[in-house]
Amino acid sequence: MAKEDTVIQGDCIEVLAEELRRRNGKPFADLIFADPPFNIGYVYDKYDDKVEHDEYVRWTRQWMQACCEVLTEHGSFWVAIGDDYVAEVRIIGRALNLVMRNWIIWYYTFGQNTRKKFARSHTHIIYFVKNDKNFIFNDEVIRVPSARQTTYNDKRAHPKGKVPDDTWILRPAEMPEAFRADEDTWQFSRVCGTFKERAGFHGCQMPEKLLERIILVASNPGDLVLDPFSGSGTTGAAAAALGRRYLAIEISENYVRQSRTRLKASKTLF
Ligand SMILES: C[S@@+](CC[C@H](N)C(=O)[O-])C[C@H]1O[C@@H](n2cnc3c(N)ncnc32)[C@H](O)[C@@H]1O
Protein backbone atom coordinates (compact mmCIF):
# COMPACT_ATOMS: atom_id res chain seq x y z
CA MET A 1 0.00 0.00 0.00
CA ALA A 2 1.23 3.46 -0.89
CA LYS A 3 2.80 5.65 1.74
CA GLU A 4 0.32 8.50 2.10
CA ASP A 5 -0.35 11.54 4.24
CA THR A 6 3.25 11.68 5.12
CA VAL A 7 6.34 13.85 4.88
CA ILE A 8 9.35 11.88 3.68
CA GLN A 9 12.79 13.19 4.45
CA GLY A 10 15.18 12.99 1.52
CA ASP A 11 16.18 14.17 -1.91
CA CYS A 12 13.02 14.33 -4.02
CA ILE A 13 14.62 12.73 -7.09
CA GLU A 14 15.75 9.71 -5.08
CA VAL A 15 12.54 9.47 -3.06
CA LEU A 16 10.36 9.64 -6.17
CA ALA A 17 12.38 6.89 -7.87
CA GLU A 18 11.99 4.74 -4.76
CA GLU A 19 8.25 5.43 -4.47
CA LEU A 20 7.78 4.51 -8.13
CA ARG A 21 9.68 1.26 -7.64
CA ARG A 22 7.51 0.41 -4.63
CA ARG A 23 4.45 0.81 -6.84
CA ASN A 24 5.93 -1.35 -9.61
CA GLY A 25 6.40 1.63 -11.92
CA LYS A 26 2.75 2.75 -11.74
CA PRO A 27 2.34 6.56 -11.69
CA PHE A 28 0.58 7.65 -8.52
CA ALA A 29 0.38 11.47 -8.25
CA ASP A 30 -2.89 13.00 -9.41
CA LEU A 31 -1.62 16.52 -8.77
CA ILE A 32 1.91 17.81 -8.24
CA PHE A 33 2.67 21.22 -6.79
CA ALA A 34 6.36 22.12 -6.79
CA ASP A 35 7.85 25.25 -5.25
CA PRO A 36 11.60 24.60 -5.62
CA PRO A 37 14.37 26.86 -4.36
CA PHE A 38 14.67 29.66 -6.97
CA ASN A 39 18.51 29.81 -7.02
CA ILE A 40 18.53 33.33 -5.63
CA GLY A 41 20.73 32.78 -2.60
CA TYR A 42 17.92 32.29 -0.12
CA VAL A 43 19.10 30.81 3.15
CA TYR A 44 17.69 27.34 3.75
CA ASP A 45 18.49 24.98 6.55
CA LYS A 46 20.22 22.45 4.32
CA TYR A 47 20.04 23.35 0.63
CA ASP A 48 22.55 25.79 -0.99
CA ASP A 49 20.37 28.17 -3.04
CA LYS A 50 23.15 29.63 -5.17
CA VAL A 51 24.62 27.17 -7.61
CA GLU A 52 26.00 27.62 -11.13
CA HIS A 53 23.36 28.44 -13.74
CA ASP A 54 23.94 25.29 -15.81
CA GLU A 55 23.93 23.09 -12.75
CA TYR A 56 20.60 24.55 -11.59
CA VAL A 57 19.03 24.04 -15.04
CA ARG A 58 20.34 20.46 -15.19
CA TRP A 59 18.92 19.75 -11.75
CA THR A 60 15.58 21.37 -12.69
CA ARG A 61 15.34 19.05 -15.69
CA GLN A 62 16.08 16.04 -13.47
CA TRP A 63 13.51 16.75 -10.80
CA MET A 64 10.86 17.77 -13.34
CA GLN A 65 11.45 14.50 -15.17
CA ALA A 66 11.20 12.54 -11.90
CA CYS A 67 7.86 14.29 -11.28
CA CYS A 68 6.58 13.46 -14.78
CA GLU A 69 7.35 9.80 -14.23
CA VAL A 70 5.07 9.62 -11.17
CA LEU A 71 2.28 11.80 -12.63
CA THR A 72 -0.89 9.93 -13.63
CA GLU A 73 -2.20 10.24 -17.18
CA HIS A 74 -4.97 12.64 -16.08
CA GLY A 75 -2.66 14.50 -13.67
CA SER A 76 -1.47 18.09 -13.58
CA PHE A 77 1.87 19.55 -12.59
CA TRP A 78 2.14 23.08 -11.18
CA VAL A 79 5.53 24.74 -10.79
CA ALA A 80 6.03 27.96 -8.82
CA ILE A 81 9.17 29.72 -10.00
CA GLY A 82 10.85 33.14 -10.02
CA ASP A 83 11.70 35.38 -12.97
CA ASP A 84 15.24 34.08 -13.37
CA TYR A 85 14.29 30.51 -14.35
CA VAL A 86 10.67 30.62 -15.49
CA ALA A 87 11.68 30.47 -19.17
CA GLU A 88 13.75 27.35 -18.52
CA VAL A 89 10.88 25.67 -16.66
CA ARG A 90 8.55 26.33 -19.57
CA ILE A 91 11.07 24.93 -22.09
CA ILE A 92 11.88 21.87 -19.98
CA GLY A 93 8.15 21.22 -19.63
CA ARG A 94 7.78 21.18 -23.40
CA ALA A 95 10.77 18.86 -23.78
CA LEU A 96 9.09 16.48 -21.32
CA ASN A 97 5.92 16.50 -23.47
CA LEU A 98 3.92 18.42 -20.92
CA VAL A 99 1.20 20.72 -22.19
CA MET A 100 1.09 24.17 -20.61
CA ARG A 101 -2.48 25.21 -19.78
CA ASN A 102 -1.75 28.47 -17.98
CA TRP A 103 1.13 30.73 -17.07
CA ILE A 104 -0.22 32.20 -13.85
CA ILE A 105 1.10 35.29 -12.13
CA TRP A 106 0.58 35.25 -8.39
CA TYR A 107 0.60 38.91 -7.47
CA TYR A 108 1.29 39.40 -3.79
CA THR A 109 1.60 42.27 -1.44
CA PHE A 110 4.42 42.65 1.02
CA GLY A 111 7.06 42.42 -1.70
CA GLN A 112 10.43 43.57 -0.42
CA ASN A 113 11.30 47.26 -0.70
CA THR A 114 13.98 48.27 -3.20
CA ARG A 115 15.78 51.56 -3.88
CA LYS A 116 17.30 51.12 -7.34
CA LYS A 117 14.76 48.98 -9.16
CA PHE A 118 11.11 48.09 -9.02
CA ALA A 119 10.15 45.86 -6.13
CA ARG A 120 9.30 42.31 -7.08
CA SER A 121 5.71 41.47 -6.22
CA HIS A 122 4.94 38.31 -8.16
CA THR A 123 5.78 34.67 -8.61
CA HIS A 124 5.07 32.62 -11.72
CA ILE A 125 3.06 29.43 -11.48
CA ILE A 126 3.23 27.29 -14.61
CA TYR A 127 0.32 24.88 -14.91
CA PHE A 128 1.09 21.82 -17.05
CA VAL A 129 -0.89 18.69 -17.83
CA LYS A 130 0.28 15.39 -19.28
CA ASN A 131 -2.71 15.01 -21.56
CA ASP A 132 -4.69 18.03 -22.72
CA LYS A 133 -7.72 15.84 -23.51
CA ASN A 134 -7.87 14.24 -20.08
CA PHE A 135 -7.39 16.36 -16.99
CA ILE A 136 -9.32 17.55 -13.93
CA PHE A 137 -10.54 21.14 -13.89
CA ASN A 138 -13.33 21.62 -11.34
CA ASP A 139 -14.27 25.13 -12.42
CA GLU A 140 -17.49 25.19 -10.37
CA VAL A 141 -15.67 25.23 -7.05
CA ILE A 142 -13.21 28.04 -7.72
CA ARG A 143 -15.40 30.62 -9.42
CA VAL A 144 -15.26 34.23 -8.22
CA PRO A 145 -17.83 37.05 -8.59
CA SER A 146 -17.81 38.50 -12.11
CA ALA A 147 -18.21 42.15 -13.15
CA ARG A 148 -21.40 41.05 -14.92
CA GLN A 149 -22.74 40.18 -11.48
CA THR A 150 -21.22 42.85 -9.29
CA THR A 151 -21.24 45.89 -11.61
CA TYR A 152 -23.56 45.39 -14.60
CA ASN A 153 -26.29 43.25 -13.10
CA ASP A 154 -26.21 41.31 -16.35
CA LYS A 155 -28.69 38.43 -16.55
CA ARG A 156 -26.24 36.43 -18.69
CA ALA A 157 -23.84 36.19 -15.73
CA HIS A 158 -23.07 32.67 -14.54
CA PRO A 159 -24.74 32.45 -11.10
CA LYS A 160 -21.56 31.03 -9.57
CA GLY A 161 -19.36 33.78 -11.02
CA LYS A 162 -16.46 33.41 -13.41
CA VAL A 163 -13.34 31.31 -13.54
CA PRO A 164 -10.54 33.51 -12.13
CA ASP A 165 -8.09 35.22 -14.48
CA ASP A 166 -4.51 34.01 -14.75
CA THR A 167 -3.32 36.85 -12.51
CA TRP A 168 -4.19 35.71 -9.05
CA ILE A 169 -5.35 38.27 -6.57
CA LEU A 170 -7.69 36.96 -3.90
CA ARG A 171 -10.58 38.84 -2.37
CA PRO A 172 -10.30 40.38 1.12
CA ALA A 173 -12.43 37.66 2.66
CA GLU A 174 -9.94 35.12 1.41
CA MET A 175 -6.93 36.92 2.78
CA PRO A 176 -5.20 36.22 6.08
CA GLU A 177 -7.15 37.75 8.94
CA ALA A 178 -4.45 40.28 9.78
CA PHE A 179 -4.98 41.92 6.40
CA ARG A 180 -8.71 41.80 6.04
CA ALA A 181 -9.30 45.18 7.65
CA ASP A 182 -7.95 46.89 4.56
CA GLU A 183 -10.89 46.21 2.28
CA ASP A 184 -9.39 48.34 -0.50
CA THR A 185 -6.52 45.98 -0.97
CA TRP A 186 -7.51 43.08 -3.13
CA GLN A 187 -4.17 41.43 -2.99
CA PHE A 188 -3.25 37.95 -2.01
CA SER A 189 -0.43 38.50 0.41
CA ARG A 190 2.68 36.46 1.03
CA VAL A 191 2.66 34.87 4.47
CA CYS A 192 4.42 37.44 6.60
CA GLY A 193 5.89 37.11 10.05
CA THR A 194 2.91 38.54 11.86
CA PHE A 195 0.26 36.39 10.17
CA LYS A 196 -1.54 33.84 12.28
CA GLU A 197 -1.02 31.27 9.54
CA ARG A 198 2.75 31.58 9.74
CA ALA A 199 4.25 28.36 11.03
CA GLY A 200 7.37 30.29 12.03
CA PHE A 201 10.19 27.99 10.99
CA HIS A 202 10.33 28.47 7.20
CA GLY A 203 10.90 31.76 5.35
CA CYS A 204 9.15 30.73 2.11
CA GLN A 205 5.84 29.51 3.49
CA MET A 206 3.11 29.83 0.86
CA PRO A 207 -0.45 30.86 1.78
CA GLU A 208 -2.77 27.91 2.20
CA LYS A 209 -5.42 29.77 0.21
CA LEU A 210 -3.20 29.64 -2.86
CA LEU A 211 -2.83 25.89 -2.50
CA GLU A 212 -6.52 25.56 -1.77
CA ARG A 213 -7.45 26.98 -5.18
CA ILE A 214 -5.01 24.68 -7.00
CA ILE A 215 -6.06 21.57 -5.10
CA LEU A 216 -9.78 22.28 -5.46
CA VAL A 217 -9.62 22.89 -9.19
CA ALA A 218 -7.16 20.17 -10.16
CA SER A 219 -8.00 17.20 -7.93
CA ASN A 220 -10.93 15.35 -6.44
CA PRO A 221 -11.44 14.21 -2.84
CA GLY A 222 -9.29 11.16 -2.15
CA ASP A 223 -6.76 12.00 -4.89
CA LEU A 224 -3.06 12.00 -4.10
CA VAL A 225 -1.31 15.40 -4.04
CA LEU A 226 2.48 15.39 -4.24
CA ASP A 227 4.83 18.16 -3.17
CA PRO A 228 8.51 17.38 -3.85
CA PHE A 229 9.73 20.54 -2.03
CA SER A 230 7.46 20.56 0.97
CA GLY A 231 9.23 23.16 3.15
CA SER A 232 6.86 24.12 5.95
CA GLY A 233 4.21 21.62 4.79
CA THR A 234 1.69 24.04 3.24
CA THR A 235 0.60 21.69 0.44
CA GLY A 236 0.04 18.82 2.84
CA ALA A 237 -1.93 21.05 5.20
CA ALA A 238 -4.22 22.29 2.42
CA ALA A 239 -4.61 18.81 0.92
CA ALA A 240 -5.57 17.27 4.27
CA ALA A 241 -8.07 20.03 5.00
CA LEU A 242 -9.71 19.38 1.61
CA GLY A 243 -9.94 15.61 1.99
CA ARG A 244 -7.09 14.76 -0.38
CA ARG A 245 -4.20 12.43 0.40
CA TYR A 246 -0.70 13.88 0.27
CA LEU A 247 2.89 12.86 -0.12
CA ALA A 248 5.38 15.55 0.79
CA ILE A 249 9.15 15.35 0.35
CA GLU A 250 11.66 17.62 2.05
CA ILE A 251 15.43 17.39 2.28
CA SER A 252 15.86 19.16 5.62
CA GLU A 253 15.38 16.99 8.72
CA ASN A 254 14.56 20.11 10.69
CA TYR A 255 11.76 21.25 8.31
CA VAL A 256 10.43 17.69 8.17
CA ARG A 257 10.19 17.48 11.95
CA GLN A 258 8.48 20.84 12.29
CA SER A 259 6.13 20.39 9.34
CA ARG A 260 4.98 17.06 10.74
CA THR A 261 3.95 18.89 13.89
CA ARG A 262 2.13 21.50 11.79
CA LEU A 263 0.37 18.82 9.75
CA LYS A 264 -0.95 17.05 12.80
CA ALA A 265 -3.09 20.13 13.42
CA SER A 266 -3.79 20.92 9.76
CA LYS A 267 -7.46 19.95 9.63
CA THR A 268 -8.33 22.75 11.99
CA LEU A 269 -6.76 25.45 9.83
CA PHE A 270 -9.64 26.13 7.42
C1 LIG B 1 10.73 27.34 -1.62
S1 LIG B 1 10.84 26.16 -0.35
C2 LIG B 1 9.24 25.42 -0.33
C3 LIG B 1 8.28 26.18 0.57
C4 LIG B 1 6.91 25.56 0.64
N1 LIG B 1 6.16 25.75 -0.58
C5 LIG B 1 6.12 26.10 1.83
O1 LIG B 1 5.01 26.63 1.65
O2 LIG B 1 6.61 26.00 2.94
C6 LIG B 1 11.84 24.90 -1.09
C7 LIG B 1 12.18 23.74 -0.17
O3 LIG B 1 12.82 22.72 -0.95
C8 LIG B 1 13.71 22.02 -0.08
N2 LIG B 1 14.64 21.26 -0.94
C9 LIG B 1 15.74 21.69 -1.59
N3 LIG B 1 16.29 20.71 -2.33
C10 LIG B 1 15.53 19.62 -2.16
C11 LIG B 1 15.56 18.30 -2.68
N4 LIG B 1 16.52 17.91 -3.53
N5 LIG B 1 14.60 17.43 -2.31
C12 LIG B 1 13.62 17.82 -1.45
N6 LIG B 1 13.54 19.06 -0.91
C13 LIG B 1 14.47 19.95 -1.28
C14 LIG B 1 14.33 23.13 0.74
O4 LIG B 1 14.87 22.65 1.95
C15 LIG B 1 13.11 24.06 0.95
O5 LIG B 1 12.48 23.80 2.18
Side-chain angles (χ1 to χ4, degrees), residues 10-12 35 44 47 202 206 228-229 231-232 234 250-251 255:
D11 176 284
C12 60
D35 173 25
Y44 291 105
Y47 176 83
H202 200 291
M206 284 213 160
F229 301 101
S232 67
T234 309
E250 170 54 55
I251 205 161
Y255 298 158

Side-chain angles (χ1 to χ4, degrees), residues 8-15 33-38 42 44-48 59 63 80 201-207 211 227-235 249-252 255 262:
I8 300 179
Q9 189 275 321
D11 176 284
C12 60
I13 297 173
E14 290 168 16
V15 173
F33 175 78
D35 173 25
F38 289 3
Y42 199 87
Y44 291 105
D45 182 34
K46 192 150 176 184
Y47 176 83
D48 174 12
W59 177 67
W63 70 254
F201 61 90
H202 200 291
C204 300
Q205 183 181 336
M206 284 213 160
L211 269 303
D227 186 338
F229 301 101
S230 170
S232 67
T234 309
T235 304
I249 307 168
E250 170 54 55
I251 205 161
S252 152
Y255 298 158
R262 174 185 179 192

Side-chain angles (χ1 to χ4, degrees), residues 146-154:
S146 66
R148 279 186 170 175
Q149 289 175 300
T150 58
T151 311
Y152 304 114
N153 208 9
D154 185 334

Side-chain angles (χ1 to χ4, degrees), residues 2-4 15-23 25-32 66-74 223-226 245 247 249:
K3 259 193 196 173
E4 282 151 15
V15 173
L16 288 176
E18 174 58 25
E19 290 296 308
L20 196 59
R21 258 195 305 278
R22 288 191 333 101
R23 292 160 169 90
K26 191 168 182 284
F28 54 87
D30 300 298
L31 162 61
I32 303 176
C67 286
C68 280
E69 283 164 10
V70 303
L71 186 65
T72 56
E73 188 55 25
H74 61 267
D223 280 353
L224 184 72
V225 180
L226 167 72
R245 298 170 294 138
L247 181 62
I249 307 168

